[in-house]
């Protein structure tokens, strides 16, 4: 591979890795965790400002919201209002029967983890509320059983 091609490929890969998405590796007080389910996004009109994910690790479930670096660095007036783990009777249920691990965020807090929850045997999703200063966005990941 020519050096110029290698440099171009490396630059492209670095651009993909650092495009503002969350790079979460460990939950507070836990260490490495594994994402379960798909990532959900906070945004509007095709724009994405934050991501919401669900993880498992240390015998617990965790919910996580991360405001992207581009949004944060732009000086946006945002607040991750809350993050939690929802409990469901099944993937087809209409409403969760429980909400656990609630943590509240602060103004321009870039990332926020829920408390670890003892819900690995339950159907769960991550749920977050993120306030843009003008509107509160409510976002949940898919339900995982």
């Amino acid at each position: 591979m020519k050096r110029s091609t290698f440099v171009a490929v490396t630059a492209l890969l670095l651009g993909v890795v650092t495009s503002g998405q969350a790079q979460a590796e460990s939950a507070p007080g836990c260490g490495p965790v594994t994402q379960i389910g798909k990532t959900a996004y906070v945004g509007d009109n095709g724009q994405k400002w934050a991501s919401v994910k669900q993880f498992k690790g240390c015998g617990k479930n965790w919910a996580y919201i991360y405001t992207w670096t581009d949004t944060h660095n732009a000086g946006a007036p945002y607040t991750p209002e809350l993050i939690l783990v929802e409990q469901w009777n099944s993937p087809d249920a209409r409403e969760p029967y429980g909400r656990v691990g609630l943590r509240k965020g602060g103004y321009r807090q870039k990332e926020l983890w829920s408390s670890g929850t003892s819900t690995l045997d339950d159907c769960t999703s991550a749920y977050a509320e993120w306030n843009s200063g003008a509107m509160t966005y409510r976002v949940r990941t898919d339900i995982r059983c």
Side-chain angles (χ1 to χ4, degrees):
M1 179 185 292
K2 289 184 178 180
R3 180 172 171 78
S4 60
T5 303
F6 176 76
V7 170
V9 169
T10 301
L12 175 65
L13 289 174
L14 283 174
V16 169
V17 170
T18 61
S19 65
Q21 292 191 14
Q23 302 299 323
E25 296 179 2
S26 60
C30 174
V33 290
T34 302
Q35 183 175 346
I36 55 175
K38 297 178 184 174
T39 303
Y41 298 98
V42 175
D44 200 6
N45 295 321
Q47 295 181 348
K48 295 178 183 173
W49 307 311
S51 53
V52 177
K53 298 181 179 187
Q54 182 178 190
F55 293 90
K56 65 177 182 176
C58 300
K60 298 185 180 296
N61 280 89
W62 307 82
Y64 176 72
I65 185 168
Y66 177 85
T67 301
W68 290 4
T69 299
D70 293 346
T71 303
H72 182 80
N73 288 347
Y78 70 88
T79 303
E81 298 284 345
L82 61 88
I83 188 80
L84 55 83
V85 174
E86 295 179 309
Q87 297 167 284
W88 300 81
N89 285 322
S90 74
D92 301 322
R94 291 182 181 216
E95 295 290 329
Y97 69 83
R99 293 182 168 191
V100 293
L102 172 68
R103 286 269 171 89
K104 295 186 177 185
Y107 181 71
R108 291 186 45 79
Q109 184 174 345
K110 195 169 181 184
E111 62 181 312
L112 180 62
W113 286 90
S114 71
S115 298
T117 65
S118 299
T119 55
L120 286 178
D121 293 331
D122 299 337
C123 295
T124 58
S125 63
Y127 174 85
E129 293 183 6
W130 190 91
N131 188 311
S132 69
M135 182 173 178
T136 298
Y137 295 85
R138 292 164 178 82
V139 178
R140 77 169 37 100
T141 62
D142 59 329
I143 300 169
R144 301 292 298 177
C145 297

